[in-house]
């Protein structure tokens, strides 16, 4: 479910950002480019969450 939610939100947010930026720049909206960028973004987010450790640091355990 975590992967589906990540893909959904990255697709939604990147497509929305793609639409707004293309409107501001006055260029045509390209849906395929936004979809590809959202897939790349979601994979990068999943990689970063896999790299960051879940356990607290030793300093945080003493507080």
């Amino acid at each position: 479910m975590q992967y589906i939610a990540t893909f959904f939100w990255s697709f939604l947010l990147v497509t929305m950002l793609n639409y707004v930026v293309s409107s501001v720049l006055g260029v045509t909206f390209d849906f395929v480019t936004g979809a590809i960028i959202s897939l790349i973004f979601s994979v990068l987010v999943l990689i970063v969450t896999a790299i960051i450790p879940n356990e607290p640091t030793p300093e945080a355990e003493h507080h």
Side-chain angles (χ1 to χ4, degrees), residues 1-10 42 46-47 49-50:
M1 187 67 184
Q2 172 187 358
Y3 300 119
I4 295 171
T6 302
F7 285 128
F8 172 75
W9 283 108
S10 69
S42 61
L46 292 173
I47 289 171
T49 58

Side-chain angles (χ1 to χ4, degrees), residues 26-46:
V27 297
T28 59
F29 173 68
D30 189 14
F31 179 77
V32 176
T33 303
I36 292 170
I37 293 172
S38 68
L39 287 174
I40 293 169
F41 179 72
S42 61
V43 168
L44 288 175
V45 166
L46 292 173

Side-chain angles (χ1 to χ4, degrees), residues 55-63:
E55 64 273 353
T57 60
E59 296 86 23
E61 291 178 356
H62 298 301
H63 294 272

